[in-house]
Amino acid sequence: DMMLESVRERSLSCIAGYKSALSETRAKSREREALFARQEAMLRDQLAGAQRELEWLQTEAIEAARKHSELAKAAKENAARAELAEARIRAQSENTERLMMELEERNSETE
């Protein structure tokens, strides 16, 4: 009878120990789940922020490409204008030289 009572007490003690360990394990599991949930929320926030930044950078890149295109077009137009101005200056210079030569010829004929 005493032996049976002793076995019963040890069994109850073991069961209580298992229940306590199971309760602790469940509590730690809930803590981990809460931690994972917080980490997941933080990562989702970071991802959303990174996506917003990426969208902003894409918008900036598109705007920069548009401005670059406009500047390249303006540079091309300016280069064409400069070539035309150089051609006009050359033509005027040639005309001036030709006129000076004609004037010199006339002056020498009248002398």
Side-chain angles (χ1 to χ4, degrees):
D1 202 29
M2 283 295 265
M3 194 171 176
L4 189 62
E5 186 65 30
S6 174
V7 169
R8 184 175 179 273
E9 285 178 15
R10 280 186 294 187
S11 295
L12 288 176
S13 175
C14 284
I15 290 172
Y18 288 134
K19 283 184 178 180
S20 174
L22 181 61
S23 178
E24 285 180 34
T25 302
R26 285 181 179 159
K28 286 181 182 178
S29 179
R30 283 190 297 273
E31 288 174 10
R32 282 193 198 112
E33 285 177 14
L35 175 65
F36 289 149
R38 286 191 304 273
Q39 289 175 337
E40 182 182 17
M42 183 180 71
L43 290 173
R44 285 182 191 273
D45 287 346
Q46 289 174 348
L47 177 60
Q51 287 173 329
R52 284 189 301 274
E53 186 175 357
L54 176 60
E55 289 171 4
W56 179 80
L57 289 171
Q58 288 172 333
T59 301
E60 289 294 308
I62 290 168
E63 182 65 18
R66 185 188 63 75
K67 286 180 182 178
H68 174 76
S69 176
E70 289 174 1
L71 289 173
K73 182 181 175 186
K76 189 175 179 180
E77 290 171 358
N78 287 341
R81 285 189 195 114
E83 285 180 29
L84 183 59
E86 287 175 7
R88 285 183 183 147
I89 290 169
R90 276 195 304 276
Q92 288 174 350
S93 179
E94 290 169 6
N95 281 341
T96 302
E97 284 182 40
R98 187 178 45 79
L99 289 173
M100 290 296 286
M101 288 171 67
E102 287 177 12
L103 222 92
E104 286 176 8
E105 284 178 25
R106 287 185 192 159
N107 279 343
S108 64
E109 288 175 4
T110 57
E111 288 178 2

